[in-house]
Amino acid sequence: YMRLTLTRPMFDALDGASDKPDWLIERLARLNGSPEPYVLALSNEESTALEALCAMNIRFAPDGSVLPQHAALDALSTMVMENY
């Protein structure tokens, strides 16, 4: 299992991501009413799905850098990879 501590920008970016699975939509809804920081507990399969979701939603500038509005998803993707 993995426990990730999300900042508000990470939470908002994840909430706005496209193609979220139902389990993530439900967990984000439960976390939304709680105070920061948001702690998201994930199984191995869920953490893999979360990283793929983040990667799928990150957009890049022509020079290869992450667009500023996608920096929170990039940071979350990195956090998942560092905690495997």
Side-chain angles (χ1 to χ4, degrees):
Y1 284 91
M2 181 182 296
R3 291 174 58 87
L4 299 176
T5 301
L6 308 179
T7 63
R8 186 70 208 194
M10 286 177 177
F11 179 93
D12 291 341
L14 194 53
D15 194 41
S18 62
D19 299 319
K20 290 184 297 294
D22 291 340
W23 62 264
L24 184 56
I25 292 168
E26 291 168 9
R27 291 208 197 143
L28 291 175
R30 282 196 305 262
L31 287 174
N32 195 27
S34 62
E36 282 187 72
Y38 306 101
V39 178
L40 186 60
L42 304 167
S43 69
N44 291 337
E45 294 82 11
E46 290 168 341
S47 61
T48 299
L50 178 64
E51 196 285 321
L53 176 76
C54 289
M56 182 175 69
N57 280 273
I58 296 170
R59 301 292 178 261
F60 298 90
D63 68 0
S65 62
V66 174
L67 292 174
Q69 63 268 35
H70 298 277
L73 284 175
D74 186 48
L76 183 53
S77 176
T78 300
M79 186 187 332
V80 171
M81 296 302 290
E82 289 175 348
N83 283 283
Y84 267 116

